[in-house]
Amino acid sequence: MRINVICCPLLLSFGMCVAQQPSIPSQTTVSQPTRETYLKLATEVEDTLHTDVLNVWFPRTVDHQYGGFHSHFTRDWKWAPSDGKFSVFQGRMTWVASQVVLRYPKLKNEFLPIVRQGVNYMQNVMWDKQDGGFFWGLDDTGKIIPKFTDGKELYGIGFCIYGAAAAYQATGDPKALALAQEGFRWTDEHAHDSVNGGYNEWLTRDGRPVVPTVASGQIALAPLAGFPINYKSMNTHIHLLEAFTQLYQVWPDQTLRDRLEELLAVVRDKISVEPGVMNLYFTNSWQAIPDHDSYGHDVEAAYLMLETDEVLHHKASPKTERMARMLVDHALAYGWDKTNGGFFRDGTTFGKTEDTAKEWWVEVEGLNALLLMHQRYGKETGVYFERFLEQWQFIQKHQIDAQFHGLYNLTKADGTPLTQDKGVIWKAAYHDGRAFMNVSERLQELARDQ
């Protein structure tokens, strides 16, 4: 078999070249990256965080006319016609601004008003004062429109809880904590499935799970997200896990802890299955419905499961460690582009790639997960760090717009951009912001441990 070898300066800086072959970690003698290599990479990632995420989104996204955050931007970061105010986007941008306050003291005074902007909008506009819960979305003036309907989707509610909890952590403002707590209590009262575990996802305005009439084999889909109504989804549940983990760090409530333990078990033991894939959809009793394998969600969930387990128990259990690693290993074995580097979007359990496009959030979540695996298992295999370097090289060379900055939403497998818009309601500063912050901090930890 012919093996193609790619060498890059960072790889050569510690005497390593990457052999393009199936990415199954093996027990071998591993040469470790140097402290200087880690610090050099940390500087590059930190510079990218500020140049291509924070400096392009903030304060540009702040909507001084209607409140909250504007989401739609052209390639050169001019405001484009509004997509409306989407709960997911509003929660994510509040969370990112809060993380900047927490992690970058020099930027605290600049970002505190942005955090408050997000909390005020979620509390005064996005929260339904008639029936409770966060609206799925509204128009810019705060009105209910057909695009979003007046329904409540737990995916969006989860991100509003996530943003409000982080805002309290950043500001100490009791109204931010009260909003997050109210969001959790409303969610748990109206959507928790006490029989099967997990949550019903698409609700009426007053909080009743929607049970659509099925005709001619067609399944009703939630507006905008496309999740099948009256089914449970991987996507919603991994992000509820994320949101509840954020809230638990500032509010160690027993009911919240019970739900977190339940969600961790659901994501790890029901949604995730051997050989390291996640089913996307389920009946209410958690019977899996066949669909594709989303490599980006696999690697993201590996990080989220470990994060939750460590928050709950201070150390991830062997069961969580095993499944998290299987998810990353499977994505490397079947979803990794051996020619160009980077993860494809979608495939199948046993290796048929269905979608070879590269999406910004998949690539940055991959970067985060690969370094996380290297930190845990780097002494036994060099594969995770090798792929991390290739992933970083792909992002630098292809995902980042060198002219106008920011990350392209979607590229071809070889990195040719397929889209030009830099912002839409599904693309906030959240995936890349979080990934670059985490990666920068982890690289510095690795350097200190040398």
Side-chain angles (χ1 to χ4, degrees), residues 131-197:
D131 293 301
F134 296 100
F135 286 111
W136 183 222
L138 301 163
D139 77 359
D140 279 342
T141 67
K143 293 179 181 177
I144 295 167
I145 54 174
K147 174 180 179 178
F148 299 108
T149 79
D150 65 355
K152 312 286 172 62
E153 165 60 64
L154 259 65
Y155 188 94
I157 290 173
F159 275 107
C160 288
I161 294 171
Y162 187 56
Y168 172 71
Q169 197 172 24
T171 65
D173 184 350
K175 78 176 184 182
L177 178 60
L179 182 63
Q181 291 169 328
E182 193 172 10
F184 169 75
R185 292 187 179 114
W186 189 93
T187 299
D188 207 54
E189 176 186 350
H190 291 89
H192 181 245
D193 184 345
S194 60
V195 175
N196 302 298

Side-chain angles (χ1 to χ4, degrees), residues 127-283:
W127 182 264
D128 182 357
K129 298 187 174 48
Q130 174 182 306
D131 293 301
F134 296 100
F135 286 111
W136 183 222
L138 301 163
D139 77 359
D140 279 342
T141 67
K143 293 179 181 177
I144 295 167
I145 54 174
K147 174 180 179 178
F148 299 108
T149 79
D150 65 355
K152 312 286 172 62
E153 165 60 64
L154 259 65
Y155 188 94
I157 290 173
F159 275 107
C160 288
I161 294 171
Y162 187 56
Y168 172 71
Q169 197 172 24
T171 65
D173 184 350
K175 78 176 184 182
L177 178 60
L179 182 63
Q181 291 169 328
E182 193 172 10
F184 169 75
R185 292 187 179 114
W186 189 93
T187 299
D188 207 54
E189 176 186 350
H190 291 89
H192 181 245
D193 184 345
S194 60
V195 175
N196 302 298
Y199 287 82
N200 299 300
E201 299 185 14
W202 181 246
L203 312 177
T204 60
R205 179 174 181 176
D206 60 357
R208 291 174 290 112
V210 175
V211 182
T213 301
V214 178
S216 304
Q218 293 183 335
I219 303 298
L221 302 177
L224 214 65
F227 301 153
I229 295 175
N230 199 35
Y231 292 84
K232 292 172 179 170
S233 74
M234 168 274 292
N235 209 349
T236 293
H237 281 78
I238 68 170
H239 290 299
L240 286 175
L241 181 76
E242 173 184 33
F244 289 4
T245 299
Q246 184 75 49
L247 179 56
Y248 187 75
Q249 292 178 68
V250 295
W251 182 49
D253 173 75
Q254 185 59 50
T255 301
L256 176 59
R257 183 184 180 93
D258 291 344
R259 298 298 182 260
L260 252 185
E261 295 276 14
E262 179 185 294
L263 278 171
L264 177 59
V266 162
V267 172
R268 183 190 60 209
D269 306 333
K270 295 183 184 293
I271 292 175
S272 304
V273 296
E274 294 192 28
V277 298
M278 294 194 297
N279 286 299
L280 268 64
Y281 302 113
F282 303 82
T283 65

